[in-house]
Amino acid sequence: MKPVKVGLLGLGTVGTGVVRIVQGHQEDLRSQVGSPIQIEKILVKDANKVRNIPIDPGKLTEDAWEIIRDPEIDVIVEVMGGVDSTKPYILEALERGKHVVTANKDLMALHGPEILAKAQQHQCDVMYEASVAGGIPIIRTLIEGFSSDRILKIMGIVNGTTNYILTKMSQEGASYEDVLKEAQQLGYAEADPTSDVEGLDAARKMAILATLGFRTEVALEDVDVRGISGVSKEDIMYAKRLGYEVKLLGIAERQDEHISISVQPTMVKFSHPIASVNGVFNAVYVHGEAVGETMFYGAGAGELPTATSVVADLVAVVKNLKLGVNGQKTMVPYNEKKLKSDEQIACKNFLLLHVEDKAGVLAQITQVFAEYEVSLASVLQQPNADNPDAEIIIITHDASKASMDKVLKHFERLGVIRKVKSVYRVEG
Ligand code: NAP
Ligand code: HSE
């Protein structure tokens, strides 16, 4: 049996896991695809670096083209990351008829349509299961499992680093900076962790999920993004007191053919299953018109969970190779993109206000909500020994983004409000 030859671009956290799984599960893989899978060459930045797996030094190269242009190699597995450095390799590999497996959400969110078009042109597969939610097979689920349904909402914890940070802040009162360092040491964070904490990594993943779920080409610019760097221990404490956990949620919604996609720290009611997704775990909740509510849960980052998805893609590519059907299963978005306006985007909101502690203040504040037709679900004044001002917590009913923006703008000129301390979307 002729082996299927793989060129591996990257031998970091994920690449190491890919080698371990391909080596460790070789017999199982061979039974499934009918031939051995062989990692032929591996691209690294520094071939002299000490590796934490035994690796034949003859397989390592610092020259990507040596792999891309090797006619013996059937499949490129890209786990090196980056966009500008990686894209030319992927495009040329496809032009040369090589199939591609990648864990690179940055590349797929920014250049997915171009890469998938190139793959179709050359009858190649491009699979990217590991690019969203690490070990959870959510991409295949959206493409195949829900092909018969019409998805109305996708809501996910799709960034492991930020969920790890928020969980440690909530459960152990740990500091944001300390936990971020820990997540970096554990290999969860991106090379530049700003894209984790500022929500960009989650936004890229939500653009990919929304494209697949709504069968509509969603671009990164369509995602409204806010990260967790502004979330304080105080916010988390208030949330818990009221029965909520703070989670960085990606939310994609569809209503009457119009869609909205956002990433933002959100207060999630304890009773919602997504509130109990902790640590580096990810979860994606999918609400389909016919199926109703479903939820998928698993490790969102880390060596072996991510590599599991990468190698599963590799198996799928090799099965297609045996059947001669590569490049025929690409999901091409067919719905016209219609984004919701700010009047159409609606949610419940939590507000923490620091206000002057005197008679009539509450009346002035509720008057502003009334003026912009925002209805209130609860209003609570909290004593705080450290704060001479009064602290008021307000939870609204569903209100449009347009109305909430007007309320917040009005608050800037309302003298009795010292500070709008925090504003969060509320789910559940
Ligand atoms: P990583 O640990 O930083 O590893 C990157 C690997 O690529 C290293 O082996 C590095 O070589 C090599 N490399 C990077 N740039 C290179 C260049 N210009 N030329 C040659 N080699 C280069 O990254 P990772 O965490 O494994 O992530 C890889 C990809 O998977 C990224 O797209 C990431 O977003 C995605 N991903 C990661 C996770 C996760 O849990 N880590 C989960 C899902 C998806 P050296 O070893 O010589 O430095
Ligand atoms: N940095 C990413 C995360 C890796 O924390 O989720 C997985 O994509």
Side-chain angles (χ1 to χ4, degrees):
M1 271 180 297
K2 193 169 161 284
V4 172
K5 294 192 178 169
V6 174
L8 182 63
L9 308 186
L11 187 60
T13 305
V14 185
T16 302
V18 169
V19 173
R20 279 194 221 282
I21 291 182
V22 169
Q23 286 174 352
H25 300 184
Q26 186 59 229
E27 281 316 308
D28 272 334
L29 299 178
R30 187 202 295 246
S31 305
Q32 289 181 67
V33 301
S35 50
I37 293 180
Q38 190 175 305
I39 296 178
E40 189 71 1
K41 285 184 186 156
I42 305 173
L43 175 72
V44 288
K45 212 186 273 181
D46 176 4
N48 296 316
K49 194 165 157 179
V50 177
R51 305 281 158 188
N52 55 7
I53 39 165
I55 207 92
D56 171 3
K59 284 190 189 282
L60 298 181
T61 175
E62 294 176 5
D63 177 10
W65 299 113
E66 193 189 319
I67 300 182
I68 305 296
R69 294 176 180 160
D70 181 340
E72 290 291 304
I73 287 178
D74 306 293
V75 187
I76 297 294
V77 171
E78 185 276 305
V79 285
M80 60 181 266
V83 175
D84 296 338
S85 51
T86 316
K87 189 180 159 202
Y89 302 151
I90 302 297
L91 291 178
E92 183 157 337
L94 293 169
E95 278 162 14
R96 289 171 178 270
K98 297 185 195 311
H99 309 289
V100 171
V101 172
T102 177
N104 193 331
K105 58 262 163 170
D106 308 18
L107 184 69
M108 292 311 290
L110 291 171
H111 301 291
E114 183 185 348
I115 288 169
L116 294 170
K118 177 75 79 182
Q120 274 210 311
Q121 189 189 340
H122 294 276
Q123 292 186 321
C124 288
D125 284 330
V126 171
M127 300 211 182
Y128 47 102
E129 184 62 73
S131 67
V132 181
I136 308 174
I138 188 65
I139 289 188
R140 201 158 281 122
T141 301
L142 287 176
I143 296 176
E144 292 174 12
F146 289 119
S147 58
S148 55
D149 205 354
R150 193 165 176 281
I151 291 169
L152 302 175
K153 183 168 183 175
I154 304 172
M155 184 162 83
I157 293 177
V158 290
N159 181 272
T161 302
T162 46
N163 204 42
Y164 188 77
I165 294 172
L166 292 173
T167 303
K168 289 256 178 175
M169 285 173 76
S170 170
Q171 294 183 348
E172 299 168 21
S175 88
Y176 171 90
E177 291 78 14
D178 288 350
V179 197
L180 174 58
K181 263 188 223 137
E182 230 182 275
Q184 286 177 286
Q185 281 156 7
L186 289 165
Y188 303 151
E190 296 302 299
D192 175 2
T194 317
S195 66
D196 292 296
V197 295
E198 294 306 341
L200 196 57
D201 176 78
R204 287 168 172 155
K205 292 166 176 169
M206 288 309 296
I208 294 172
L209 293 185
T211 297
L212 298 174
F214 300 148
R215 323 280 184 208
T216 303
E217 202 167 295
V218 172
L220 188 58
E221 308 80 75
D222 301 328
V223 187
D224 195 14
V225 191
R226 182 178 141 204
I228 66 159
S229 55
V231 177
S232 65
K233 277 192 202 172
E234 187 192 16
D235 293 340
I236 291 176
M237 181 199 77
Y238 272 124
K240 285 178 88 162
R241 213 183 280 170
L242 296 170
Y244 297 92
E245 287 289 354
V246 178
K247 296 288 179 191
L248 184 72
L249 287 194
I251 302 177
E253 288 174 297
R254 165 153 73 175
Q255 200 178 16
D256 304 329
E257 303 313 320
H258 287 80
I259 61 171
S260 62
I261 311 102
S262 66
V263 168
Q264 58 195 302
T266 304
M267 292 200 175
V268 188
K269 198 96 181 139
F270 285 159
S271 55
H272 195 290
I274 224 161
S276 49
V277 174
N278 288 321
V280 73
F281 280 91
N282 280 194
V284 184
Y285 160 99
V286 181
H287 187 186
E289 200 170 68
V291 73
E293 294 182 299
T294 61
M295 200 164 112
F296 304 85
Y297 171 83
E303 181 185 313
L304 290 175
T306 311
T308 305
S309 289
V310 172
V311 181
D313 276 351
L314 189 53
V315 167
V317 168
V318 180
K319 282 183 177 169
N320 285 349
L321 208 55
K322 301 278 164 160
L323 294 169
V325 294
N326 295 104
Q328 292 179 26
K329 281 189 168 175
T330 312
M331 198 291 289
V332 182
Y334 49 82
N335 286 322
E336 189 194 340
K337 182 168 71 187
K338 292 182 197 160
L339 294 173
K340 285 190 197 179
S341 66
D342 284 358
E343 282 73 25
Q344 290 170 309
I345 297 173
C347 66
K348 299 185 191 73
N349 300 273
F350 163 101
L351 292 94
L352 171 58
L353 308 176
H354 287 188
V355 303
E356 274 184 48
D357 197 3
K358 65 176 190 189
V361 169
L362 204 53
Q364 288 188 51
I365 292 171
T366 52
Q367 177 55 37
V368 175
F369 283 104
E371 188 175 334
Y372 301 107
E373 293 177 5
V374 175
S375 166
L376 304 184
S378 65
V379 179
L380 183 73
Q381 182 163 346
Q382 287 279 122
N384 184 342
D386 303 330
N387 185 359
D389 295 327
E391 292 189 350
I392 293 184
I393 291 170
I394 293 171
I395 298 186
T396 72
H397 285 299
D398 272 344
S400 75
K401 183 169 186 301
S403 294
M404 279 306 297
D405 286 348
K406 284 182 200 154
V407 167
L408 293 171
K409 195 92 200 130
H410 196 133
F411 280 173
E412 284 171 17
R413 50 179 203 276
L414 199 67
V416 295
I417 295 186
R418 301 248 197 245
K419 192 171 184 187
V420 177
K421 187 70 187 28
S422 347
V423 181
Y424 290 99
R425 179 177 174 135
V426 174
E427 279 290 327

